[in-house]
Amino acid sequence: MLAEALVLSAILFVIGTAGVLIRRNAIIMFLCVELQLNAVNLSFVALSQYIGIEGQVFVFFIMTVAAAEAAVGLAIIISIFRHYETVNVDNFNLLKW
Amino acid sequence: MVDILFFVFAATAVGGALGVVLLKNPVSSLLFMVGTLASLAGLFVLMEAHFLAAIQVIVYAGAIMVLFLFVIMLLNLGHDYRDDLKRGLGMFTGFAVAGALAGLLVSQLRGVDDTPLAQHFPGPDALDALLAERGIIGAIAHPLFTDYVVAFELVGILLLVALVGAIVIAKRRV
Amino acid sequence: MTGIGLLTTGLAAQDAGAGFDPLLPGLILLLPFLGFVANGILALISGVRGADRVRAGETEGHGDSAAGRPLTQSLPTWIGPGVMLVAFVLTLVNFVALLGVELTEPVIRSYWTWMATGTLTVEAALQLDQLSLIMMMVVTGVGFLIHVFSVGYMKEDPGYARYFAYLNLFVFFMLTLVMGANFPMMFVGWEGVGLCSYLLIGFWFQDREKADAGKKAFIVNRIGDFGLLMAMFMLFALFGTLDYVAIFEAAPEVLAYGGFAATAIALFLLLGAIGKSAQVPLYVWLPDAMAGPTPVSALIHAATMVTAGVYLVARASVLFALAPVGAAAVATVGAVTALFAATIALQQYDIKKVLAYSTVSQLGFMFMAVGVGAYAAGVFHLMTHAFFKALLFLGAGAVIHSMHHALHATHKDWDAQDMRNMGGLRRFMPVTWLTMWVATLAIAGVWPFAGFFSKDEIIWFVGTSAPAGALYVVLWAMAIATALLTAFYMTRLMVMTFHGSNRTGEGERPHLHEAPLSMTVPLGILAVLSVVGGWVNVPGSIRESVFGGFGLLPMSDWLDRWMEPVTASAQAIRLEEVGAYAATAPVGGGHVVWGAVATGLALAVVLVGARLVGSREIRPATESEAPEAGVRKLLYNKWYVDEFYDRFIVRPLVGLSRFCWRWIDQVLIDGTVNAVGTVSRGFGWFGSLFQTGQINTYAFIVTLGALALLGVLIF
């Protein structure tokens, strides 16, 4: 079951990546990033069966960080939306000096 | 039985993920994402990570997804999503890159089996023994509060900072 | 505080001085520096005030304002000459103290370690011996008189305080030069006096020509400094130290007589001396240096700074004694310079230019002396020359002062320094006239004035060096010819300035006046010194035969004996390698005969010259024409040396510099730098293409990067 789980993880990860690349809605891009994180979580859990409980501990930390990230990220999206009245990332070019 | 359940959950997870990526309506995407997360929780149960499965449902599928939903409702994004998906070249390059990544990953995972891992590591039986000895929560709680206690505290601080930061960023008038 | 600390350190560092315990040598040096600081502050204050006045729309007043002399004008009057007087008195005390003892080793006062780098350690140390003390006497004594003179001369100048600041600073550096106990200390003074010379030549820097003259002096001096530096490097390489005492003691063992190293060092030192002492071929800056205030010409460009080269050769006498070629070069340069400059002086009309060329010529005499090993004679002439040349310059200053006033009163735009505009000034300025005649007779070499003893001693030593080579006979003849020319051009100067009818003009004549007391008193003192200054070194044989019966002048050969400890080792080397001086001149005759001949000739030239020039009709400068052709034109144009330098050195250099500027700097270097900049900007532009600010792009690039990393890891 290990190999299947890892392949599933890879597939989910790639779908998440594709989502980040082809969507324009900032919230959905964010959602796809969460999907990538979950794909990685799946790998950790699958491997923890063989390697030890530490894999699950790590997943626990990842979830915590994801929660923090979601809070801050959504706050940023709200902030940006207030200014631009849109969440379409094609309309922003803030990330440069 | 376990294998059948695995494939069922795997199929719903992949289907949900595709729905997240391909559906234009953000609310639909979000609901498919909830489905994916729930499927993953089921997979976690199959892999004897019961505690994580519970957390996945409660925190991820519950709290975080609700937060997303709130934001979507707050920003009133439930309509006017015509040009959300890229078309033409944008779509093509996105899938091309993702496909290349998939090819690389799958090519590496082909033929993986558990025999070498079982030789070098304790293996599923050891995990079973640990779970039996400490209990489902105790098994994960013990390392958290011993070996990883510093990281645990830091994550606590991180959550606090994120909380404050989120409030400050969202409240500020731009 | 620091000063007192230094002084006590100096006192604490008592070393055996064979009974001679110098009194506060550090203070002698420090006083002019304190004067510089005080006057400098006053100069800054008065400069700021002057600028305020100009901004307020007032014109800079020529003379005293109605509100009386401000403090920035009255304080320097006391500070400037005051510090010099104290320094002179201290020097005098030390001098008198040294008179009573036999000092064979110099007294060194070390204050602190100036630099300690690897094997080289240089102390900030002062050296007191017979040579440095006699130089200090000249510098502080003549310096004090010239400071006093300046009070009257510069009274109406807006830069009064600045002037005294520079002058004090000059004395400080000059004392450093002569008191330093090692080559680096001397070099500090050497460069410092060069700086002050530059500042004072260009004192009236609003005048482009004068500022340029300052630059010329500075740049020409750099050539000489190069030689001095090279000599110092070689000395350090060979001796591992730069202290005078250590080098001169070790020199006879380290350097082979007439060897390459000794010759090279001597020639490099000579190059330094040539630059500073305005000898051929680097003399061109000195006549131009007359652009500065006249007391500056007297102090720096006649009495003290320009004699630094002579001091250097006398100080390094051992090195020159070990390098016969170097010594001969010194003597030859001196003789050529003496004759060359004297010929130019014959046909100059600017009173200061005549004196400038005369100075160059007399410096040539000193070089001849130290070149043939007569170091005491060189220093002797240095001293007497300081007296009578300072007197001549100050007298000329008084004349110019008076002429300037007269011409200024009627706004006549004549040249106040052109002797053709003067004439008959004797009636208006009797004190100046009298004192300048004393100086003229002294420089002409008439008995019993100072120049007779010093100059004829030099001629004598050059002549009696004949056994060392035929060269010295030629030099001897050149020296005698120069002496006769000197007598002539000085007589010409006196007659054109003071005798005959006055050519200044009817309107201006009533404004001609004698200089104030602050100017005439120094003239008088220097006139006395120009007479008695020579009596300190009357040759024994002359005293025996001429003065013997009267018991006058007990100090026969005093300076020779005084200088003996300094020059003894050089003289010993010379005696061993070259042999003694001849007893008679190349064509026979002893001391007494040649003394009588010299004074007779000089007197004859003076009398004939006075008649010759007096009978000539001289017209004011504006009505005269430059000589048309022949030797006169050649001399009037100074042998066209400046033009020659301009054509063959300055212009090619300017051309080369222009080439370096236009092509090497602007095209090659700037081009390279700009190209680097342009390429960097291009890269930056290219890189900035990736910085769209769009998350899409970044996500895409991150994914590509991950792909690439994965690919590298896998394959």
Side-chain angles (χ1 to χ4, degrees):
Chain A
M1 202 162 66
L2 178 64
E4 291 85 348
L6 289 179
V7 168
L8 176 62
S9 166
I11 289 170
L12 287 176
F13 186 84
V14 168
I15 291 173
T17 308
V20 171
L21 293 178
I22 66 171
R23 298 301 290 247
R24 291 199 181 91
N25 188 325
I27 294 176
I28 303 299
M29 286 172 76
F30 207 27
L31 211 55
C32 293
V33 172
E34 299 288 341
L35 191 58
Q36 288 176 300
L37 283 173
N38 270 286
V40 174
N41 281 355
L42 182 61
S43 309
F44 271 113
V45 172
L47 284 165
S48 84
Q49 276 183 293
Y50 295 86
I51 294 171
I53 197 75
E54 280 82 5
Q56 297 191 19
V57 174
F58 223 101
V59 170
F60 179 81
F61 283 132
I62 291 173
M63 282 182 180
T64 327
V65 172
E69 178 214 333
V72 176
L74 287 171
I76 292 173
I77 287 172
I78 289 172
S79 180
I80 290 174
F81 182 81
R82 280 208 190 119
H83 193 235
Y84 291 95
E85 295 285 330
T86 178
V87 289
N88 188 330
V89 291
D90 280 356
N91 295 340
F92 319 140
N93 51 356
L94 299 171
L95 285 176
K96 68 178 177 186
W97 186 63
Chain B
M1 180 65 193
V2 170
D3 284 349
I4 294 169
L5 276 177
F6 178 88
F7 282 109
V8 170
F9 283 135
T12 50
V14 171
L18 286 173
V20 169
V21 171
L22 295 175
L23 286 176
K24 285 186 181 177
N25 189 330
V27 180
S28 313
S29 292
L30 202 67
L31 290 175
F32 274 94
M33 182 70 184
V34 173
T36 306
L37 293 175
S39 309
L40 281 173
L43 288 173
F44 287 177
V45 172
L46 294 182
M47 293 171 187
E48 301 189 56
H50 307 286
F51 176 68
L52 288 180
I55 300 259
Q56 177 89 354
V57 173
I58 296 166
V59 175
Y60 241 124
I64 297 181
M65 286 307 117
V66 169
L67 183 62
F68 271 85
L69 193 62
F70 276 173
V71 171
I72 288 171
M73 287 161 64
L74 183 69
L75 302 185
N76 202 10
L77 298 174
H79 43 82
D80 192 20
Y81 36 75
R82 282 177 306 257
D83 54 352
D84 192 350
L85 262 174
K86 285 184 189 170
R87 278 181 288 270
L89 191 66
M91 176 79 92
F92 174 74
T93 49
F95 277 125
V97 170
L101 193 60
L104 272 178
L105 288 174
V106 173
S107 76
Q108 285 304 297
L109 292 171
R110 197 183 50 199
V112 170
D113 69 58
D114 47 8
T115 29
L117 279 175
Q119 280 165 5
H120 291 93
F121 293 99
D125 296 340
L127 189 64
D128 285 342
L130 186 72
L131 288 172
E133 183 197 341
R134 294 231 173 99
I136 290 169
I137 296 181
I140 197 169
H142 190 262
L144 261 185
F145 288 101
T146 53
D147 292 348
Y148 301 101
V149 69
V150 176
F152 184 73
E153 297 294 337
L154 283 177
V155 162
I157 295 173
L158 177 72
L159 278 174
L160 179 66
V161 171
L163 186 70
V164 175
I167 292 170
V168 168
I169 292 171
K171 260 196 91 173
R172 190 171 52 195
R173 294 266 144 217
V174 182
Chain C
M1 260 334 274
T2 322
I4 294 166
L6 296 184
L7 295 172
T8 46
T9 328
L11 286 176
Q14 295 275 5
D15 44 2
F20 173 57
D21 177 21
L23 177 71
L24 302 174
L27 188 61
I28 299 175
L29 193 58
L30 202 61
L31 273 167
F33 188 74
L34 292 177
F36 157 68
V37 171
N39 284 328
I41 291 168
L42 290 170
L44 286 177
I45 294 170
S46 89
V48 170
R49 281 191 193 159
D52 285 346
R53 270 203 303 281
V54 171
R55 251 180 251 122
E58 291 175 40
T59 49
E60 228 170 325
H62 201 86
D64 302 354
S65 58
R69 288 166 73 75
L71 220 56
T72 51
Q73 292 276 309
S74 56
L75 272 181
T77 306
W78 298 106
I79 297 171
V83 292
M84 289 303 298
L85 182 61
V86 181
F88 173 64
V89 169
L90 277 172
T91 311
L92 193 64
V93 169
N94 281 318
F95 183 72
V96 172
L98 187 56
L99 277 179
V101 291
E102 289 280 326
L103 183 69
T104 49
E105 288 286 310
V107 176
I108 311 272
R109 278 291 157 85
S110 191
Y111 292 94
W112 71 88
T113 302
W114 177 18
M115 46 178 145
T117 54
T119 51
L120 175 65
T121 304
V122 178
E123 300 275 325
L126 302 181
Q127 171 163 351
L128 284 111
D129 60 5
Q130 289 81 356
L131 178 58
S132 63
L133 259 173
I134 207 140
M135 292 295 293
M136 285 158 66
M137 285 291 284
V138 171
V139 172
T140 56
V142 176
F144 166 64
L145 292 174
I146 290 169
H147 273 71
V148 172
F149 183 90
S150 301
V151 170
Y153 190 82
M154 298 296 288
K155 199 169 114 192
E156 293 163 4
D157 197 282
Y160 188 72
R162 182 165 60 97
Y163 172 83
F164 273 106
Y166 289 165
L167 217 54
N168 279 157
L169 185 66
F170 166 77
V171 174
F172 165 72
F173 278 126
M174 191 67 206
L175 287 173
T176 312
L177 200 165
V178 298
M179 290 171 79
N182 46 50
F183 277 96
M185 284 286 281
M186 188 269 286
F187 193 68
V188 168
W190 188 274
E191 292 297 320
V193 292
L195 167 71
C196 293
S197 165
Y198 160 77
L199 290 172
L200 284 163
I201 294 169
F203 183 74
W204 291 306
F205 51 83
Q206 293 96 333
D207 188 337
R208 178 68 191 265
E209 205 177 307
K210 291 174 176 169
D212 282 350
K215 271 188 276 181
K216 185 174 178 180
F218 207 69
I219 291 167
V220 174
N221 263 301
R222 292 282 79 69
I223 302 171
D225 296 343
F226 159 75
L228 187 53
L229 272 174
M230 289 302 293
M232 279 166 61
F233 294 154
M234 289 189 72
L235 284 170
F236 174 64
L238 289 169
F239 293 88
T241 177
L242 287 169
D243 288 347
Y244 287 150
V245 176
I247 288 179
F248 299 149
E249 267 178 13
E253 281 96 59
V254 176
L255 299 173
Y257 178 81
F260 173 76
T263 309
I265 290 173
L267 288 178
F268 275 129
L269 284 175
L270 173 63
L271 181 58
I274 282 174
K276 194 55 98 189
S277 289
Q279 298 294 292
V280 168
L282 299 181
Y283 73 96
V284 285
W285 65 271
L286 187 56
D288 284 23
M290 297 302 134
T294 309
V296 169
S297 309
L299 179 61
I300 300 183
H301 306 120
T304 52
M305 183 188 85
V306 289
T307 62
V310 183
Y311 166 81
L312 177 65
V313 180
R315 177 57 83 195
S317 53
V318 178
L319 300 177
F320 281 93
L322 285 167
V325 178
V330 173
T332 311
V333 165
V336 170
T337 308
L339 188 59
F340 185 75
T343 56
I344 297 176
L346 290 175
Q347 201 57 39
Q348 296 302 307
Y349 290 109
D350 186 317
I351 186 167
K352 285 183 74 180
K353 282 276 161 70
V354 177
L355 292 177
Y357 283 106
S358 161
T359 304
V360 175
S361 174
Q362 297 301 311
L363 288 166
F365 267 103
M366 297 174 213
F367 268 63
M368 268 191 266
V370 292
V372 300
Y375 304 105
V379 173
F380 182 32
H381 195 55
L382 188 161
M383 184 184 83
T384 58
H385 176 256
F387 297 149
F388 57 68
K389 187 52 66 63
L391 172 52
L392 283 170
F393 265 114
L394 294 186
V399 168
I400 295 165
H401 191 65
S402 177
M403 287 288 292
H404 179 75
H405 267 253
L407 294 173
H408 191 74
T410 55
H411 301 288
K412 202 172 185 176
D413 64 343
W414 278 13
D415 186 356
Q417 301 191 8
D418 198 310
M419 294 191 295
R420 286 171 294 194
N421 298 337
M422 299 174 185
L425 293 180
R426 175 171 56 136
R427 274 177 293 147
F428 309 103
M429 320 180 67
V431 180
T432 312
W433 168 73
L434 190 68
T435 52
M436 277 188 81
W437 259 118
V438 171
T440 302
L441 292 177
I443 195 173
V446 174
W447 183 90
F449 297 94
F452 166 76
F453 296 102
S454 58
K455 183 152 61 171
D456 285 315
E457 188 178 340
I458 291 172
I459 297 174
W460 173 259
F461 274 115
V462 174
T464 54
S465 296
L471 168 73
Y472 294 98
V473 181
V474 179
L475 298 186
W476 180 69
M478 288 167 80
I480 291 179
T482 308
L484 299 180
L485 289 178
T486 307
F488 180 79
Y489 68 69
M490 286 311 300
T491 309
R492 171 175 170 275
L493 180 146
M494 291 304 293
V495 171
M496 283 184 79
T497 307
F498 289 102
H499 296 266
S501 56
N502 180 258
R503 298 179 289 274
T504 313
E506 293 296 331
E508 290 73 23
R509 202 161 298 144
H511 296 284
L512 290 169
H513 59 83
E514 181 58 278
L517 215 57
S518 65
M519 289 161 76
T520 49
V521 169
L523 290 181
I525 296 173
L526 283 169
V528 173
L529 287 171
S530 299
V531 181
V532 304
W535 299 352
V536 298
N537 204 27
V538 178
S541 54
I542 288 193
R543 195 177 73 96
E544 301 293 317
S545 51
V546 183
F547 298 107
F550 308 102
L552 290 168
L553 302 178
M555 302 186 290
S556 66
D557 290 326
W558 171 82
L559 192 70
D560 284 347
R561 283 184 281 114
W562 168 262
M563 286 283 290
E564 215 199 297
V566 181
T567 61
S569 48
Q571 297 294 6
I573 295 166
R574 186 190 155 79
L575 195 64
E576 190 183 322
E577 302 284 350
V578 183
Y581 293 99
T584 58
V587 293
H591 267 135
V592 184
V593 176
W594 278 100
V597 168
T599 195
L601 273 176
L603 210 54
V605 170
V606 169
L607 292 175
V608 171
R611 277 202 69 94
L612 214 64
V613 180
S615 64
R616 207 185 283 159
E617 194 201 354
I618 304 165
R619 308 181 61 78
T622 45
E623 300 167 27
S624 316
E625 284 156 5
E628 291 285 310
V631 180
R632 283 188 167 210
K633 190 182 178 200
L634 191 63
L635 296 181
Y636 181 77
N637 288 303
K638 309 153 196 166
W639 294 94
Y640 293 101
V641 170
D642 276 323
E643 285 76 4
F644 176 83
Y645 283 173
D646 186 60
R647 180 78 186 75
F648 289 99
I649 295 175
V650 176
R651 278 200 214 160
L653 258 179
V654 169
L656 183 68
S657 307
R658 197 179 294 274
F659 171 78
C660 289
W661 167 42
R662 284 273 160 76
W663 292 102
I664 295 188
D665 188 57
Q666 284 197 334
V667 174
L668 198 68
I669 295 175
D670 287 6
T672 311
V673 172
N674 288 343
V676 169
T678 311
V679 169
S680 304
R681 283 180 61 161
F683 274 118
W685 174 81
F686 181 70
S688 76
L689 288 182
F690 296 98
Q691 198 192 21
T692 58
Q694 297 235 324
I695 305 170
N696 281 326
T697 328
Y698 295 166
F700 191 71
I701 291 170
V702 166
T703 315
L704 279 182
L707 261 179
L709 275 178
L710 214 55
V712 168
L713 282 177
I714 290 167
F715 301 113

